[in-house]
Structure formats: C-alpha cells, structure tokens
C-alpha cells in the first residue's frame, strides 16, 4: 500500500472519530430544546458534554490539517468550492464554544436563554451541513480540468446531499439521546430513552434510503458490507435502548456512524473528490497528494503524537464517566 493510500485511510479514520464524538455532543445540543423542560434540565444536558466537547473538536482540526498536508489539491478544491457552507459551520462552532463558556457568566434569564438558543442552533446547523458536504463529496461536484470547482452554492443543495444532511442530523440526534440516557439519572434519563426510540426510527428510514442510493451509484462489495453493518448496528441500538441497556445502545449507535462513514469513504476511493463533468478531471489519491517525502515525515509525526492524544482523551472520558442529574447541579448554577 502506497503512503497516499495510507493517508486516505488515516483521514477517513479522523473524520470517523470526529463524527462519532462530535456527533453525540451535537445531538445533546439539539436536545436542549427537544428534551429539556426547564433551565435546570438544560444545565444537566450541557454538563454531560461540558468536559469533552472541546476535545471532540480536536478531531476536526486534525482531519482538516491532515487533508491540507497530505492532499493539498483536495484541500484547496474542497475549501474553495464549499466555502460558504464550511464558513457557516466554522461560525457555528465559534459561537457554540462561546455559548458554552459564557452562558453562566451572568444570572439574567434573557442572557442565559439567548445562549441556550445559540447552543441549539449551532448544534443543529453543523449536524445538517456536514451531511450535505459529504453527500456532495461522494456524489461528485463540478470540477474542471484544472481541478477547480466551477459550480455554485445552489449546486450543493441537490436531493442526494440534502438527504445526507437529514441522515447526519437524525443520526447525531439519536446518538446524543442515547448518550444522554447513558449519562443521566431520573426522569430525564427515561425521557431521553423514549425520544431516542422515535428519533432512531426516523434515522433508520432516511439512513437506509441514503446508503442504498450510495451503494447503487458508486458502491462495491466492501461498501455493501459496511452498509449491512451500519443498518444492523442501528437496529441493534434501538433494541438495546428499548431494553434499557444504554451502554450497549451508545456503543452500537457509534458503530452505526463508523460503518456509515466507512461506507462513504469506501465508495469514494480511489477518488477523493469526483468530478461530475468528466471522470478524468476527478481528484484522486494519486493526483491530489503531497510528495512521498512529505507523507513519510507526516507518518512519523502521527505515529508519535496520536497515541498520546488518544490516551489523554480516553483519560478525560474516564474521569467524567459518572451519571448526573438535577440533584447534582449546585443552586448557584441555576
């Protein structure tokens, strides 16, 4: 296997890790409107992801940086062609981080309500737009012979990509609901499980349609295996959720996300960004990659740094592993 193939796999792993981790905290942010009944319950939801949300975003930074270094042509075409949706995602992530930090800085009800509204929208919008973006990457976009995107913003809003947005939105919300049930106690835990069933069923329908569409358009035997794993894991997650086995349900919803993202990358390879105008103008792992020397240096750096980051992030989740409820929120916090 060539180094550019290795880095395609590594970038796929980084995006998979990002969607697995950021997926549930996007979902929890959305649930602050759908599940929480009052400000105290919103505080409980925010506290479930408070210690980890910023660490989850590190995966996005690493995925973007790795794409820039390993596949500069891919990075240039992607970030120029998808400039507006990616800018909207970036602004949402900035506002979202500020909202988490500033919500409790002042006691006024309007102040806190406004930041809570910001958390909801800046979780929902990226959850949808990431699916739209990856739907377009897999489907193919208007790339000319110079590997430049020549379409416009409205070209990105096609039925396949919009369906992909609904998949990530519903799947992340389900993932967040299961995580909430895993991390909370009392009535909010029970309501999270019930909501997870409803959202999970909706997610199963749209995900099955989207993944079958992908398989018919660009899939092969490997992507079919990933599709079967994704669907089976989602069904098993729903069954585990109904049985009150939140740990299993969360793990299986995570497997669903991993398998679904793996299917997209398997359908994409060896392309990294297909051209809908001419197959010969598509960006591939070969014509979009950096030099072998650059990839070799990156491989050594990744081999040293990655285990350290994984150990640190794993330790963070272990430290904050206990369940919480409204009784754990100090009076001064609400």
């Amino acid at each position: 296997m060539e180094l550019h193939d290795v880095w395609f796999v590594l970038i796929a792993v980084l995006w998979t890790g990002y969607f697995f981790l950021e997926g549930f905290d996007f979902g929890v942010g959305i649930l602050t409107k759908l599940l929480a009944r009052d400000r105290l319950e919103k505080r409980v939801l925010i506290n479930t992801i408070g210690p980890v949300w910023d660490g989850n975003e590190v995966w996005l930074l690493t995925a973007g940086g790795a794409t820039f270094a390993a596949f500069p042509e891919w990075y240039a075409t992607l970030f120029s062609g998808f400039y507006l949706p990616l800018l909207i995602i970036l602004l949402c992530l900035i506002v979202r981080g500020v909202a988490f930090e500033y919500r409790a800085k002042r006691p006024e009800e309007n102040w806190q309500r406004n930041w809570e509204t910001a958390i909801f929208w800046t979780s929902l919008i990226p959850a949808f737009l990431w699916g739209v973006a990856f739907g377009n990457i897999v489907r193919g976009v208007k790339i000319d012979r110079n590997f430049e995107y020549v379409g416009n913003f409205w070209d990105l809003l096609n039925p396949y990509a919009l369906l992909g947005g609904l998949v990530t939105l519903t799947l992340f919300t389900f993932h967040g609901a299961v995580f909430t049930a895993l991390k909370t106690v009392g009535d909010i835990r029970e309501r999270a499980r019930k909501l997870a069933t409803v959202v999970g069923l909706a997610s199963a329908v749209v995900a099955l349609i989207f993944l079958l569409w992908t398989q018919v358009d660009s899939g092969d035997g490997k992507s079919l295996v990933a599709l079967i794993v994704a669907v089976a894991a989602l069904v098993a997650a729903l069954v585990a959720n109904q049985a009150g086995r939140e740990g299993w349900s969360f793990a299986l919803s995570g497997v669903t996300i991993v398998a679904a993202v793996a299917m997209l990358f398997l359908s994409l390879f060896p392309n990294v960004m297909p051209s809908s105008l001419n197959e010969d103008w598509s960006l591939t792992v070969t014509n979009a990659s950096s030099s072998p020397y650059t990839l070799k240096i990156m491989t050594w750096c990744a081999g040293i740094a990655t285990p350290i980051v994984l150990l640190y992030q794993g330790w963070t989740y272990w430290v904050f592993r206990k369940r919480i409820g409204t009784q754990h929120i100090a009076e001064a916090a609400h």
Side-chain angles (χ1 to χ4, degrees), residues 211-233:
L211 294 179
L212 285 174
W213 191 344
T214 305
Q215 179 65 26
V216 171
D217 270 2
S218 55
D220 56 14
K222 294 178 182 178
S223 63
L224 179 60
V225 172
L227 185 156
I228 294 171
V229 171
V231 173

Side-chain angles (χ1 to χ4, degrees), residues 3 19 25 31 37 49 57 76-78 94 119 145 151 188 190 195 230 250-251 256 274 290 298 305:
L3 277 180
F19 287 140
D25 72 45
L31 293 178
R37 291 176 173 172
I49 59 174
E57 291 187 357
T77 304
L78 175 64
I94 293 171
I119 290 172
R145 65 175 70 250
I188 194 170
E190 297 302 319
L195 183 60
F250 178 71
T256 302
S290 294
M298 288 176 60

Side-chain angles (χ1 to χ4, degrees), residues 290-312:
S290 294
S291 68
Y293 181 75
T294 300
L295 296 177
K296 183 177 180 180
I297 296 299
M298 288 176 60
T299 304
W300 278 104
C301 293
I304 296 171
T306 302
I308 298 173
V309 174
L310 292 176
L311 285 172
Y312 174 78

Side-chain angles (χ1 to χ4, degrees), residues 2-19:
E2 299 289 336
L3 277 180
H4 51 66
D5 297 330
V6 171
W7 273 97
F8 178 86
V9 173
L10 291 176
I11 288 172
V13 170
L14 289 171
W15 280 111
T16 303
Y18 173 67
F19 287 140

Side-chain angles (χ1 to χ4, degrees), residues 157-175:
L157 302 181
N158 54 80
Y160 177 80
L162 293 174
L163 181 61
L166 289 178
V167 171
T168 51
L169 177 60
T170 55
L171 190 55
F172 289 172
T173 305
F174 171 67
H175 198 39

